[in-house]
Amino acid sequence: MSSEASPAQSSNSKPFSPVEAISMGFKFFKENLVTFIKLGAVLLVINVISGMFTGEDNTSGLAVLMSIVSAIVSILVQIGMTKILLDLHDGKAVNFHHLYSLYPMLLRYLGASILYGLMVAVGIIFLVIPGIYLAIKYQFYGILIVDKNLDIMASLKKSGEMTKGNMMNLFVLGLLLIVINFVGAMLLGLGLLITIPTSMMAMIYVYRKLS
């Protein structure tokens, strides 16, 4: 009988340390500090421009339209950021045009996000714990869409395979990231300039380790 494990089993047999993940996230942040400063500046400009087009009156047709456009831009930036962070982790050259050039993934990413949100919301309604479980199990759907160009259902299924056997470590990692970002926010918000990039890179590190 063959002793080789299936691809899913192989990924599940690679546990990770939550502390190590955060340490690696901080390491990637330090090594790419200039890039993160540039990214922060670009995102700030995008947010300022977006805020200029979304006024306080959200009842008019134009305001609603601009809110929709702002939401679309936000999703595109999120997709682009995921690609940029993956490239940083993999030691590839960073292309800032990813912040707007990956629009073909928009509908899939949006659809998967809605489905993910609905599953988690329903789980939260049913005694909270099922919602937390589903949130952890399928959390890598967005990265998989960007990295592997998967469709909605395939990204959720693959995320479920990747996280199998690592749920507790992922839960602990999530708690630790909440704590360090809370501490960052308490430091006049300035600590978030470090903790948020560290958290994002920690999750990319875990994604690569499990995939």
Side-chain angles (χ1 to χ4, degrees), residues 39-164:
L39 274 174
V42 171
L43 294 177
L44 178 62
V45 171
I46 292 175
N47 286 332
V48 169
I49 295 176
S50 178
M52 292 172 58
F53 287 97
T54 54
E56 296 181 359
D57 180 14
N58 294 321
T59 58
S60 68
L62 180 60
V64 172
L65 176 61
M66 295 311 300
S67 295
I68 293 174
V69 171
S70 178
I72 291 174
V73 170
S74 178
I75 296 172
L76 283 175
V77 169
Q78 186 174 349
I79 293 172
M81 277 292 295
T82 300
K83 174 61 176 172
I84 288 172
L85 295 179
L86 285 167
D87 286 346
L88 276 177
H89 179 278
D90 298 341
K92 298 179 181 178
V94 172
N95 293 313
F96 284 86
H97 74 269
H98 288 318
L99 291 172
Y100 60 84
S101 66
L102 300 179
Y103 60 87
M105 297 180 180
L106 176 63
L107 292 181
R108 271 180 293 151
Y109 196 95
L110 177 60
S113 297
I114 292 173
L115 182 56
Y116 174 79
L118 288 174
M119 287 192 299
V120 173
V122 171
I124 292 294
I125 293 173
F126 289 99
L127 304 179
V128 179
I129 294 178
I132 296 175
Y133 173 83
L134 292 172
I136 296 173
K137 182 175 182 178
Y138 297 114
Q139 64 181 302
F140 293 118
Y141 75 90
I143 304 178
L144 284 162
I145 290 176
V146 176
D147 185 37
K148 304 296 185 182
N149 201 28
L150 299 181
D151 60 29
I152 294 174
M153 298 309 298
S155 66
L156 291 166
K157 179 181 178 181
K158 181 62 178 176
S159 180
E161 294 173 354
M162 289 169 54
T163 55
K164 185 177 180 181

